Amino acid sequence: ATLQALADLRADFPLLDQTVNGHPLVYLDSAATAQRPSVVLDAERDFLERRNAAVHRGAHTLAAEATEEFEQARAAVARFVGARPEEIAWQLNATDALNTIAFAIGAASRGRGGGAGSEGITARRFALHPGDELVVTEAEHHANLIPWQELAAQTGATLRYVPVDDDGLWTIDDARAVVTDKTRLIAFAHVSNVTGMVAPVPEMVALAASVGALTVLDACQSAPHRPLDLDALGVDFAAFSAHKMLGPTGLGVLYGRRELLNALPPGRTGGSMITTVTMEGAEFLPAPQRFEAGTQPVSQAVALGAAVGYLESAGRDAVLEHERALAARLYDGLAGIPGLRLIGPGAGAERAGLVAFDVAGVHAHDAGQYLDSRGIAVRVGHHCAQPLHRRLGLTASVRASVYVYNTEADVDTFLEAAAGIRHYFGL
Ligand code: PMP
């Protein structure tokens, strides 16, 4: 029933109604970027046509209206992920949000102080020293790897990682073997953008708590697709991107527990984030403004507010069930095609709405071009996870990913084409 209910949503997405290379478009690349429904496009346009103004500054009517709408969007996004509005700071994208956390911890490590209202927590809580350890997994997107490499290099801390197995998977026991009382921060993806594995978040949070480490959750592939309650999960920080959840590009979300955000020194400084400035120094506003230096992506935030409203009315459990059903169909179909090696959890195991695979004897880019010639959009390459691909003995893979607007027919069209890839290349 849910499948049929959500199939009707497809008509809300104008972009999907087109032909590509003479075939009706089959869009299976939502893990890279999602398409936007008319209500999201209209919300941004309507804001720009009627209420656009600089927020938090002007005394004029438009400025007040724009500010109210901007803050309503923040509140909507906060509700959507189980956070308070002041725990949500706008950023350029998820990559930027992760860098913001790393910059702030770097500043604390250089002895910069945090702000007021930090509930007993001071910036020293975050300072890293030689001998301290940061932990990530071998499956991370580069966005949740390189900022920690850089932070380690700046502070003398050591970056360690939870290794993955031959399918690209890791377990809580693998993490327990790496985390020690030297671990100060653990950063990991809630859902892998390559394997589709769902991380054991509560167990990871408990593991971090047992050694007093901070947790950073890369929620890029979870926030758009499954119910998410960051407060209940108990993570310290999280990051996700608007463009993967039916919203615009140019907008990412940083989540941090209020008392932590307020205790951190900002990594970036400038206008709109201060209380007092002299020629000698500055005092900073509490979160979220202390992490929002300069003019913000206001119309984009308004559009994201509309996007989360759309996802809520679709029903977040319904979205998850819809994607589970399509992912199972994708997985089972691909598993039945000779010459394909599927990455990630096996048949029947929990996986997000994506499947990455290698085609024996065919480069992923060639496979992608063949599929494109049939109107099918998939992702090819290392998906910003080179270490993971290297561990799997691959340089690239093909990834098909689904979202609310995909149908069983999309999956079946893709599977029929996928079954012909090796034949097309003479294998
Ligand atoms: N982490 C994961 C798991 C992702 O899938 C992505 C996007 N591919 C990112 C981080 C980075 O997102 P963005 O490029 O929007 O900053």
Side-chain angles (χ1 to χ4, degrees):
T2 52
L3 271 183
Q4 194 44 49
L6 289 194
D8 296 342
L9 300 185
R10 186 186 184 87
D12 296 341
F13 295 80
L15 179 137
L16 297 176
D17 183 22
Q18 64 175 299
T19 55
V20 169
N21 295 321
H23 298 269
L25 170 64
V26 174
Y27 188 76
L28 294 173
D29 197 18
S30 296
T33 204
Q35 301 304 340
R36 300 172 216 176
S38 297
V39 287
V40 169
L41 299 168
D42 293 347
E44 185 163 6
R45 186 179 183 90
D46 184 59
F47 174 83
L48 291 170
E49 284 183 349
R50 293 164 201 270
R51 292 177 296 283
N52 182 48
V55 297
H56 289 310
R57 279 172 242 186
H60 57 81
T61 302
L62 279 185
E65 286 177 2
T67 301
E68 190 181 326
E69 207 165 333
F70 180 61
E71 291 304 328
Q72 274 171 5
R74 189 194 306 278
V77 171
R79 268 198 315 278
F80 189 74
V81 296
R84 290 175 282 214
E86 63 271 28
E87 296 177 318
I88 297 296
W90 305 120
Q91 309 281 295
L92 295 175
N93 48 39
T95 303
D96 189 47
L98 291 162
N99 274 283
T100 293
I101 306 166
F103 286 172
I105 295 175
S109 305
R110 292 192 302 275
R112 302 296 294 172
S118 51
E119 297 172 25
I121 301 170
T122 68
R124 270 207 299 272
R125 160 81 179 82
F126 304 95
L128 296 175
H129 308 285
D132 288 340
E133 295 180 353
L134 310 175
V135 171
V136 296
T137 84
E138 200 176 5
E140 294 315 306
H141 188 283
H142 297 161
N144 197 30
L145 170 61
I146 307 172
W148 310 121
Q149 292 174 340
E150 291 294 313
L151 180 61
Q154 283 161 27
T155 59
T158 304
L159 184 73
R160 302 187 65 202
Y161 63 87
V162 180
V164 298
D165 68 11
D166 293 346
D167 294 314
L169 307 177
W170 58 274
T171 67
I172 184 66
D173 287 329
D174 299 326
R176 287 192 183 112
V178 175
V179 170
T180 70
D181 56 11
K182 293 181 188 157
T183 307
R184 301 291 312 282
L185 178 144
I186 306 177
F188 61 101
H190 191 175
V191 170
S192 162
N193 66 313
V194 180
T195 65
M197 172 188 145
V198 183
V201 183
E203 291 84 351
M204 289 295 280
V205 169
L207 177 61
S210 73
V211 298
L214 297 164
T215 47
V216 179
L217 189 70
D218 174 352
C220 280
Q221 300 292 348
S222 59
H225 302 286
R226 51 184 58 227
L228 180 64
D229 187 335
L230 292 169
D231 184 52
L233 286 175
V235 295
D236 294 315
F237 300 101
F240 51 95
S241 272
H243 70 92
K244 293 183 198 282
M245 50 200 297
L246 312 181
T249 50
L251 180 67
V253 176
L254 164 63
Y255 162 83
R257 280 172 46 213
R258 179 172 53 179
E259 62 275 22
L260 299 180
L261 284 185
N262 281 334
L264 273 169
R268 283 189 207 80
T269 52
S272 309
M273 50 78 73
I274 51 84
T275 50
T276 317
V277 183
T278 65
M279 288 316 291
E280 285 70 42
E283 299 286 334
F284 308 126
L285 284 164
Q289 277 76 28
R290 69 198 287 106
F291 296 103
E292 295 181 353
T295 302
Q296 294 301 300
V298 178
S299 66
Q300 292 89 331
V302 168
L304 179 61
V308 301
Y310 184 90
L311 286 167
E312 268 161 359
S313 42
R316 296 178 78 187
D317 289 317
V319 170
L320 179 61
E321 286 314 311
H322 176 76
E323 292 186 29
R324 275 198 179 128
L326 292 181
R329 196 177 184 91
L330 256 182
Y331 182 91
D332 294 343
L334 287 169
I337 300 173
L340 301 192
R341 171 182 165 201
L342 276 52
I343 299 166
E350 170 75 1
R351 74 152 60 228
L354 61 90
V355 183
F357 57 96
D358 176 57
V359 186
V362 180
H363 196 281
H365 287 90
D366 293 333
Q369 268 174 12
Y370 167 73
L371 293 168
D372 180 58
S373 73
R374 310 189 46 153
I376 301 167
V378 295
R379 192 78 169 168
V380 297
H382 51 63
H383 320 305
C384 299
Q386 279 189 9
L388 174 62
H389 277 81
R390 197 172 294 116
R391 169 65 181 82
L392 298 173
L394 302 171
T395 52
S397 60
V398 182
R399 181 186 68 193
S401 55
V402 297
Y403 208 179
V404 285
Y405 36 69
N406 288 115
T407 59
E408 290 181 351
D410 287 338
V411 171
D412 293 347
T413 304
F414 163 73
L415 289 172
E416 196 189 319
I421 297 174
R422 296 189 78 239
H423 178 73
Y424 178 82
F425 289 98
L427 297 168

PDB file of all heavy atoms in Angstrom, residues 54-82:
ATOM      1  N   ALA A  54      17.713  41.010   4.045  1.00  0.00           N
ATOM      2  CA  ALA A  54      18.760  40.559   4.962  1.00  0.00           C
ATOM      3  C   ALA A  54      18.134  40.249   6.313  1.00  0.00           C
ATOM      4  O   ALA A  54      17.354  41.044   6.835  1.00  0.00           O
ATOM      5  CB  ALA A  54      19.833  41.635   5.106  1.00  0.00           C
ATOM      6  N   VAL A  55      18.477  39.098   6.872  1.00  0.00           N
ATOM      7  CA  VAL A  55      17.845  38.690   8.134  1.00  0.00           C
ATOM      8  C   VAL A  55      18.616  39.215   9.337  1.00  0.00           C
ATOM      9  O   VAL A  55      19.801  39.540   9.241  1.00  0.00           O
ATOM     10  CB  VAL A  55      17.717  37.146   8.218  1.00  0.00           C
ATOM     11  CG1 VAL A  55      16.805  36.637   7.109  1.00  0.00           C
ATOM     12  CG2 VAL A  55      19.075  36.473   8.168  1.00  0.00           C
ATOM     13  N   HIS A  56      17.929  39.265  10.473  1.00  0.00           N
ATOM     14  CA  HIS A  56      18.530  39.599  11.771  1.00  0.00           C
ATOM     15  C   HIS A  56      19.134  41.001  11.832  1.00  0.00           C
ATOM     16  O   HIS A  56      19.931  41.283  12.700  1.00  0.00           O
ATOM     17  CB  HIS A  56      19.630  38.592  12.162  1.00  0.00           C
ATOM     18  CG  HIS A  56      19.077  37.253  12.516  1.00  0.00           C
ATOM     19  ND1 HIS A  56      18.048  37.070  13.391  1.00  0.00           N
ATOM     20  CD2 HIS A  56      19.420  36.006  12.103  1.00  0.00           C
ATOM     21  CE1 HIS A  56      17.779  35.775  13.502  1.00  0.00           C
ATOM     22  NE2 HIS A  56      18.584  35.104  12.731  1.00  0.00           N
ATOM     23  N   ARG A  57      18.851  41.883  10.886  1.00  0.00           N
ATOM     24  CA  ARG A  57      19.496  43.192  10.914  1.00  0.00           C
ATOM     25  C   ARG A  57      18.512  44.321  10.764  1.00  0.00           C
ATOM     26  O   ARG A  57      18.281  45.084  11.685  1.00  0.00           O
ATOM     27  CB  ARG A  57      20.571  43.293   9.828  1.00  0.00           C
ATOM     28  CG  ARG A  57      21.855  42.620  10.280  1.00  0.00           C
ATOM     29  CD  ARG A  57      22.846  42.550   9.166  1.00  0.00           C
ATOM     30  NE  ARG A  57      23.143  41.145   8.869  1.00  0.00           N
ATOM     31  CZ  ARG A  57      24.048  40.750   8.017  1.00  0.00           C
ATOM     32  NH1 ARG A  57      24.745  41.615   7.329  1.00  0.00           N
ATOM     33  NH2 ARG A  57      24.283  39.475   7.827  1.00  0.00           N
ATOM     34  N   GLY A  58      17.876  44.374   9.628  1.00  0.00           N
ATOM     35  CA  GLY A  58      17.087  45.559   9.307  1.00  0.00           C
ATOM     36  C   GLY A  58      15.902  45.744  10.238  1.00  0.00           C
ATOM     37  O   GLY A  58      15.426  44.806  10.874  1.00  0.00           O
ATOM     38  N   ALA A  59      15.441  46.979  10.326  1.00  0.00           N
ATOM     39  CA  ALA A  59      14.262  47.274  11.128  1.00  0.00           C
ATOM     40  C   ALA A  59      13.028  47.283  10.241  1.00  0.00           C
ATOM     41  O   ALA A  59      11.919  47.474  10.718  1.00  0.00           O
ATOM     42  CB  ALA A  59      14.428  48.628  11.802  1.00  0.00           C
ATOM     43  N   HIS A  60      13.203  47.088   8.934  1.00  0.00           N
ATOM     44  CA  HIS A  60      12.038  47.217   8.054  1.00  0.00           C
ATOM     45  C   HIS A  60      11.202  45.943   8.018  1.00  0.00           C
ATOM     46  O   HIS A  60      11.634  44.874   8.459  1.00  0.00           O
ATOM     47  CB  HIS A  60      12.462  47.680   6.657  1.00  0.00           C
ATOM     48  CG  HIS A  60      13.469  46.795   5.982  1.00  0.00           C
ATOM     49  ND1 HIS A  60      13.122  45.643   5.340  1.00  0.00           N
ATOM     50  CD2 HIS A  60      14.811  46.913   5.850  1.00  0.00           C
ATOM     51  CE1 HIS A  60      14.215  45.091   4.820  1.00  0.00           C
ATOM     52  NE2 HIS A  60      15.251  45.843   5.128  1.00  0.00           N
ATOM     53  N   THR A  61      10.000  46.086   7.491  1.00  0.00           N
ATOM     54  CA  THR A  61       9.017  44.998   7.526  1.00  0.00           C
ATOM     55  C   THR A  61       9.517  43.742   6.820  1.00  0.00           C
ATOM     56  O   THR A  61       9.387  42.634   7.323  1.00  0.00           O
ATOM     57  CB  THR A  61       7.708  45.491   6.872  1.00  0.00           C
ATOM     58  OG1 THR A  61       7.281  46.641   7.606  1.00  0.00           O
ATOM     59  CG2 THR A  61       6.628  44.426   6.901  1.00  0.00           C
ATOM     60  N   LEU A  62      10.097  43.936   5.640  1.00  0.00           N
ATOM     61  CA  LEU A  62      10.570  42.769   4.900  1.00  0.00           C
ATOM     62  C   LEU A  62      11.635  42.023   5.687  1.00  0.00           C
ATOM     63  O   LEU A  62      11.660  40.786   5.720  1.00  0.00           O
ATOM     64  CB  LEU A  62      11.157  43.198   3.542  1.00  0.00           C
ATOM     65  CG  LEU A  62      10.185  43.465   2.415  1.00  0.00           C
ATOM     66  CD1 LEU A  62      10.969  43.741   1.129  1.00  0.00           C
ATOM     67  CD2 LEU A  62       9.238  42.287   2.213  1.00  0.00           C
ATOM     68  N   ALA A  63      12.526  42.771   6.324  1.00  0.00           N
ATOM     69  CA  ALA A  63      13.589  42.122   7.096  1.00  0.00           C
ATOM     70  C   ALA A  63      13.002  41.294   8.226  1.00  0.00           C
ATOM     71  O   ALA A  63      13.455  40.177   8.505  1.00  0.00           O
ATOM     72  CB  ALA A  63      14.562  43.169   7.642  1.00  0.00           C
ATOM     73  N   ALA A  64      11.953  41.829   8.845  1.00  0.00           N
ATOM     74  CA  ALA A  64      11.319  41.090   9.940  1.00  0.00           C
ATOM     75  C   ALA A  64      10.640  39.832   9.412  1.00  0.00           C
ATOM     76  O   ALA A  64      10.739  38.753  10.012  1.00  0.00           O
ATOM     77  CB  ALA A  64      10.302  41.988  10.646  1.00  0.00           C
ATOM     78  N   GLU A  65       9.969  39.951   8.268  1.00  0.00           N
ATOM     79  CA  GLU A  65       9.292  38.780   7.688  1.00  0.00           C
ATOM     80  C   GLU A  65      10.293  37.727   7.261  1.00  0.00           C
ATOM     81  O   GLU A  65      10.104  36.526   7.481  1.00  0.00           O
ATOM     82  CB  GLU A  65       8.430  39.207   6.489  1.00  0.00           C
ATOM     83  CG  GLU A  65       7.165  39.923   6.912  1.00  0.00           C
ATOM     84  CD  GLU A  65       6.353  40.415   5.710  1.00  0.00           C
ATOM     85  OE1 GLU A  65       6.762  40.156   4.550  1.00  0.00           O
ATOM     86  OE2 GLU A  65       5.322  41.058   5.945  1.00  0.00           O
ATOM     87  N   ALA A  66      11.363  38.182   6.635  1.00  0.00           N
ATOM     88  CA  ALA A  66      12.388  37.240   6.174  1.00  0.00           C
ATOM     89  C   ALA A  66      13.028  36.525   7.362  1.00  0.00           C
ATOM     90  O   ALA A  66      13.255  35.313   7.334  1.00  0.00           O
ATOM     91  CB  ALA A  66      13.456  37.984   5.358  1.00  0.00           C
ATOM     92  N   THR A  67      13.285  37.298   8.419  1.00  0.00           N
ATOM     93  CA  THR A  67      13.896  36.704   9.615  1.00  0.00           C
ATOM     94  C   THR A  67      12.973  35.654  10.217  1.00  0.00           C
ATOM     95  O   THR A  67      13.413  34.566  10.589  1.00  0.00           O
ATOM     96  CB  THR A  67      14.202  37.800  10.656  1.00  0.00           C
ATOM     97  OG1 THR A  67      15.086  38.750  10.062  1.00  0.00           O
ATOM     98  CG2 THR A  67      14.856  37.201  11.900  1.00  0.00           C
ATOM     99  N   GLU A  68      11.680  35.993  10.265  1.00  0.00           N
ATOM    100  CA  GLU A  68      10.749  35.043  10.866  1.00  0.00           C
ATOM    101  C   GLU A  68      10.699  33.748  10.061  1.00  0.00           C
ATOM    102  O   GLU A  68      10.733  32.651  10.606  1.00  0.00           O
ATOM    103  CB  GLU A  68       9.352  35.671  10.945  1.00  0.00           C
ATOM    104  CG  GLU A  68       8.435  34.805  11.776  1.00  0.00           C
ATOM    105  CD  GLU A  68       7.029  35.387  11.867  1.00  0.00           C
ATOM    106  OE1 GLU A  68       6.904  36.625  11.893  1.00  0.00           O
ATOM    107  OE2 GLU A  68       6.082  34.584  11.912  1.00  0.00           O
ATOM    108  N   GLU A  69      10.690  33.887   8.741  1.00  0.00           N
ATOM    109  CA  GLU A  69      10.597  32.687   7.908  1.00  0.00           C
ATOM    110  C   GLU A  69      11.886  31.855   7.993  1.00  0.00           C
ATOM    111  O   GLU A  69      11.854  30.619   8.040  1.00  0.00           O
ATOM    112  CB  GLU A  69      10.299  33.082   6.461  1.00  0.00           C
ATOM    113  CG  GLU A  69       9.577  31.976   5.749  1.00  0.00           C
ATOM    114  CD  GLU A  69       8.945  32.437   4.449  1.00  0.00           C
ATOM    115  OE1 GLU A  69       8.607  33.633   4.319  1.00  0.00           O
ATOM    116  OE2 GLU A  69       8.801  31.599   3.558  1.00  0.00           O
ATOM    117  N   PHE A  70      12.987  32.560   8.033  1.00  0.00           N
ATOM    118  CA  PHE A  70      14.304  31.913   8.160  1.00  0.00           C
ATOM    119  C   PHE A  70      14.364  31.106   9.457  1.00  0.00           C
ATOM    120  O   PHE A  70      14.768  29.937   9.469  1.00  0.00           O
ATOM    121  CB  PHE A  70      15.351  33.032   8.167  1.00  0.00           C
ATOM    122  CG  PHE A  70      16.788  32.612   8.286  1.00  0.00           C
ATOM    123  CD1 PHE A  70      17.389  31.805   7.331  1.00  0.00           C
ATOM    124  CD2 PHE A  70      17.563  33.090   9.333  1.00  0.00           C
ATOM    125  CE1 PHE A  70      18.737  31.468   7.425  1.00  0.00           C
ATOM    126  CE2 PHE A  70      18.916  32.760   9.438  1.00  0.00           C
ATOM    127  CZ  PHE A  70      19.503  31.942   8.481  1.00  0.00           C
ATOM    128  N   GLU A  71      13.897  31.707  10.547  1.00  0.00           N
ATOM    129  CA  GLU A  71      13.954  31.016  11.834  1.00  0.00           C
ATOM    130  C   GLU A  71      12.897  29.919  11.935  1.00  0.00           C
ATOM    131  O   GLU A  71      13.104  28.918  12.620  1.00  0.00           O
ATOM    132  CB  GLU A  71      13.830  32.022  12.985  1.00  0.00           C
ATOM    133  CG  GLU A  71      15.057  32.935  13.115  1.00  0.00           C
ATOM    134  CD  GLU A  71      16.383  32.165  13.278  1.00  0.00           C
ATOM    135  OE1 GLU A  71      16.384  31.074  13.879  1.00  0.00           O
ATOM    136  OE2 GLU A  71      17.420  32.647  12.785  1.00  0.00           O
ATOM    137  N   GLN A  72      11.772  30.105  11.234  1.00  0.00           N
ATOM    138  CA  GLN A  72      10.782  29.019  11.188  1.00  0.00           C
ATOM    139  C   GLN A  72      11.353  27.802  10.481  1.00  0.00           C
ATOM    140  O   GLN A  72      11.098  26.660  10.867  1.00  0.00           O
ATOM    141  CB  GLN A  72       9.519  29.476  10.459  1.00  0.00           C
ATOM    142  CG  GLN A  72       8.533  30.176  11.370  1.00  0.00           C
ATOM    143  CD  GLN A  72       7.387  30.802  10.575  1.00  0.00           C
ATOM    144  OE1 GLN A  72       7.296  30.620   9.356  1.00  0.00           O
ATOM    145  NE2 GLN A  72       6.539  31.536  11.254  1.00  0.00           N
ATOM    146  N   ALA A  73      12.142  28.054   9.444  1.00  0.00           N
ATOM    147  CA  ALA A  73      12.768  26.938   8.720  1.00  0.00           C
ATOM    148  C   ALA A  73      13.741  26.213   9.644  1.00  0.00           C
ATOM    149  O   ALA A  73      13.790  24.975   9.673  1.00  0.00           O
ATOM    150  CB  ALA A  73      13.494  27.461   7.477  1.00  0.00           C
ATOM    151  N   ARG A  74      14.477  26.966  10.412  1.00  0.00           N
ATOM    152  CA  ARG A  74      15.417  26.346  11.360  1.00  0.00           C
ATOM    153  C   ARG A  74      14.653  25.465  12.365  1.00  0.00           C
ATOM    154  O   ARG A  74      15.049  24.327  12.647  1.00  0.00           O
ATOM    155  CB  ARG A  74      16.190  27.429  12.114  1.00  0.00           C
ATOM    156  CG  ARG A  74      17.344  26.873  12.947  1.00  0.00           C
ATOM    157  CD  ARG A  74      17.875  27.899  13.946  1.00  0.00           C
ATOM    158  NE  ARG A  74      18.264  29.183  13.382  1.00  0.00           N
ATOM    159  CZ  ARG A  74      19.434  29.448  12.801  1.00  0.00           C
ATOM    160  NH1 ARG A  74      20.361  28.515  12.721  1.00  0.00           N
ATOM    161  NH2 ARG A  74      19.696  30.656  12.324  1.00  0.00           N
ATOM    162  N   ALA A  75      13.536  26.008  12.855  1.00  0.00           N
ATOM    163  CA  ALA A  75      12.740  25.247  13.828  1.00  0.00           C
ATOM    164  C   ALA A  75      12.177  23.977  13.193  1.00  0.00           C
ATOM    165  O   ALA A  75      12.146  22.909  13.822  1.00  0.00           O
ATOM    166  CB  ALA A  75      11.618  26.125  14.377  1.00  0.00           C
ATOM    167  N   ALA A  76      11.765  24.079  11.923  1.00  0.00           N
ATOM    168  CA  ALA A  76      11.209  22.899  11.239  1.00  0.00           C
ATOM    169  C   ALA A  76      12.280  21.828  11.061  1.00  0.00           C
ATOM    170  O   ALA A  76      12.038  20.638  11.281  1.00  0.00           O
ATOM    171  CB  ALA A  76      10.631  23.308   9.882  1.00  0.00           C
ATOM    172  N   VAL A  77      13.474  22.254  10.677  1.00  0.00           N
ATOM    173  CA  VAL A  77      14.567  21.293  10.485  1.00  0.00           C
ATOM    174  C   VAL A  77      14.961  20.691  11.832  1.00  0.00           C
ATOM    175  O   VAL A  77      15.217  19.484  11.947  1.00  0.00           O
ATOM    176  CB  VAL A  77      15.765  21.965   9.778  1.00  0.00           C
ATOM    177  CG1 VAL A  77      16.980  21.049   9.756  1.00  0.00           C
ATOM    178  CG2 VAL A  77      15.373  22.371   8.363  1.00  0.00           C
ATOM    179  N   ALA A  78      14.983  21.515  12.874  1.00  0.00           N
ATOM    180  CA  ALA A  78      15.319  21.014  14.210  1.00  0.00           C
ATOM    181  C   ALA A  78      14.328  19.925  14.626  1.00  0.00           C
ATOM    182  O   ALA A  78      14.720  18.841  15.059  1.00  0.00           O
ATOM    183  CB  ALA A  78      15.310  22.166  15.219  1.00  0.00           C
ATOM    184  N   ARG A  79      13.023  20.225  14.465  1.00  0.00           N
ATOM    185  CA  ARG A  79      12.004  19.210  14.811  1.00  0.00           C
ATOM    186  C   ARG A  79      12.206  17.934  14.022  1.00  0.00           C
ATOM    187  O   ARG A  79      12.075  16.837  14.543  1.00  0.00           O
ATOM    188  CB  ARG A  79      10.603  19.764  14.464  1.00  0.00           C
ATOM    189  CG  ARG A  79       9.900  20.475  15.591  1.00  0.00           C
ATOM    190  CD  ARG A  79       8.390  20.584  15.310  1.00  0.00           C
ATOM    191  NE  ARG A  79       8.056  20.998  13.956  1.00  0.00           N
ATOM    192  CZ  ARG A  79       8.048  22.279  13.553  1.00  0.00           C
ATOM    193  NH1 ARG A  79       8.354  23.256  14.385  1.00  0.00           N
ATOM    194  NH2 ARG A  79       7.727  22.579  12.307  1.00  0.00           N
ATOM    195  N   PHE A  80      12.553  18.106  12.776  1.00  0.00           N
ATOM    196  CA  PHE A  80      12.691  16.956  11.856  1.00  0.00           C
ATOM    197  C   PHE A  80      13.765  15.984  12.322  1.00  0.00           C
ATOM    198  O   PHE A  80      13.694  14.793  12.056  1.00  0.00           O
ATOM    199  CB  PHE A  80      13.027  17.509  10.460  1.00  0.00           C
ATOM    200  CG  PHE A  80      12.984  16.501   9.355  1.00  0.00           C
ATOM    201  CD1 PHE A  80      11.758  16.029   8.876  1.00  0.00           C
ATOM    202  CD2 PHE A  80      14.148  16.033   8.768  1.00  0.00           C
ATOM    203  CE1 PHE A  80      11.715  15.113   7.839  1.00  0.00           C
ATOM    204  CE2 PHE A  80      14.108  15.114   7.727  1.00  0.00           C
ATOM    205  CZ  PHE A  80      12.884  14.655   7.264  1.00  0.00           C
ATOM    206  N   VAL A  81      14.787  16.491  12.996  1.00  0.00           N
ATOM    207  CA  VAL A  81      15.898  15.612  13.411  1.00  0.00           C
ATOM    208  C   VAL A  81      16.014  15.497  14.926  1.00  0.00           C
ATOM    209  O   VAL A  81      17.030  15.042  15.439  1.00  0.00           O
ATOM    210  CB  VAL A  81      17.256  16.077  12.806  1.00  0.00           C
ATOM    211  CG1 VAL A  81      17.238  15.965  11.290  1.00  0.00           C
ATOM    212  CG2 VAL A  81      17.613  17.492  13.254  1.00  0.00           C
ATOM    213  N   GLY A  82      14.987  15.899  15.658  1.00  0.00           N
ATOM    214  CA  GLY A  82      15.018  15.742  17.109  1.00  0.00           C
ATOM    215  C   GLY A  82      16.014  16.666  17.787  1.00  0.00           C
ATOM    216  O   GLY A  82      16.755  16.237  18.671  1.00  0.00           O
TER     217      GLY A  82
END
